[in-house]
Amino acid sequence: MTEENQSRPFDEKKGEILLEIARKTIAEHLGLSYKPSTDLDAASRDTAFESRRGTFVTLKINDQLRGCIGNLLPDKPLIHSVRENAINAAFQDPRFAPLLKQEFKKIQIEVSLLTEPKPLDYKDGWDLLDKLRPHVDGVILRKGPYSSTFLPQVWQQLPDKRAFLEQLCMKAGLPADAWQKGDIEVLTYQVQYFEESR
């Protein structure tokens, strides 16, 4: 897929379909009946859903994170990716217990579509701070076997660049100041995201 196609925005209607697919997938896994507002089989025949993109599915309850799992690379068709990440966010996020049936109606679902990550060329920690774009860039840090990512939405909770990088380093299992050393691989990406209105 060309970069142009891979980063082409989805309209709100398609975003709503992805949210419905994620919710229906979780409901089925819980053994619950859920009737989407759209005929998903018919709607998902649109070729746009066959595109390959990195996706993340995020679950929240009362604005608190309840699960978030995704894939950074566009290695799967979009619908397959959203279904898989919905299951993983609900039941496989190691930070949380598996979602319970009684929580299903409380969750708010968010689906993020990623552009392909690109390496960020920087000289040192100060240069890295200068080049990061809050509320625009998702960031991936990699060093040896350690890696982590924050979606651009995380800037809402961590608007300070230094705090953002410190938390990202710690998420990867690295010292909080590891980003200052200049020897960490950094990649950035952007997202288009859709969230349920509840």
Side-chain angles (χ1 to χ4, degrees):
M1 171 176 299
T2 67
E3 183 176 345
E4 179 186 0
N5 287 336
Q6 200 255 336
S7 60
R8 184 175 295 163
F10 260 43
D11 61 37
E12 287 297 321
K13 183 62 179 173
K14 289 188 179 71
E16 289 170 9
I17 290 167
L18 291 175
L19 290 168
E20 291 269 39
I21 287 169
R23 182 165 285 277
K24 185 171 187 288
T25 301
I26 294 171
E28 289 172 348
H29 197 81
L30 287 167
L32 298 171
S33 61
Y34 172 69
K35 184 168 177 56
S37 59
T38 306
D39 180 349
L40 295 183
D41 288 336
S44 61
R45 291 194 192 106
D46 188 317
T47 56
F49 295 108
E50 297 172 11
S51 63
R52 292 175 181 261
R53 299 192 184 197
T55 69
F56 271 73
V57 174
T58 303
L59 308 181
K60 293 180 182 178
I61 294 180
N62 298 325
D63 291 324
Q64 298 297 310
L65 185 66
R66 184 60 180 83
C68 181
I69 297 283
N71 56 292
L72 293 164
L73 297 177
D75 54 0
K76 297 169 188 156
L78 190 53
I79 287 182
H80 179 74
S81 179
V82 167
R83 284 180 177 144
E84 186 175 282
N85 288 328
I87 293 293
N88 288 338
F91 307 105
Q92 301 295 330
D93 189 327
R95 298 168 292 180
F96 302 95
L99 192 75
L100 301 173
K101 286 184 179 182
Q102 57 264 39
E103 293 179 296
F104 178 72
K105 289 185 178 179
K106 300 177 184 176
I107 58 170
Q108 182 179 21
I109 300 175
E110 179 181 290
V111 173
S112 298
L113 308 182
L114 282 62
T115 61
E116 191 162 355
K118 302 290 185 187
L120 182 66
D121 186 32
Y122 72 102
K123 300 171 189 171
D124 54 31
W126 295 111
D127 191 33
L128 177 57
L129 285 176
D130 189 51
K131 288 183 174 175
L132 285 184
R133 299 179 298 170
H135 306 285
V136 176
D137 291 330
V139 182
I140 304 167
L141 295 186
R142 291 179 185 159
K143 184 175 183 180
Y146 304 99
S147 69
S148 62
T149 189
F150 278 156
L151 296 170
Q153 296 93 301
V154 175
W155 288 106
Q156 295 169 18
Q157 287 80 47
L158 295 168
D160 179 75
K161 292 182 181 182
R162 293 177 68 97
F164 185 95
L165 289 170
E166 287 170 359
Q167 291 295 319
L168 190 51
C169 286
M170 290 191 287
K171 183 183 177 186
L174 294 165
D177 64 352
W179 63 272
Q180 298 179 24
K181 307 289 195 292
D183 61 350
I184 288 180
E185 182 184 8
V186 178
L187 300 94
T188 60
Y189 57 91
Q190 293 76 50
V191 307
Q192 181 184 15
Y193 70 93
F194 304 93
E195 58 185 339
E196 293 178 325
S197 54
R198 296 178 71 77

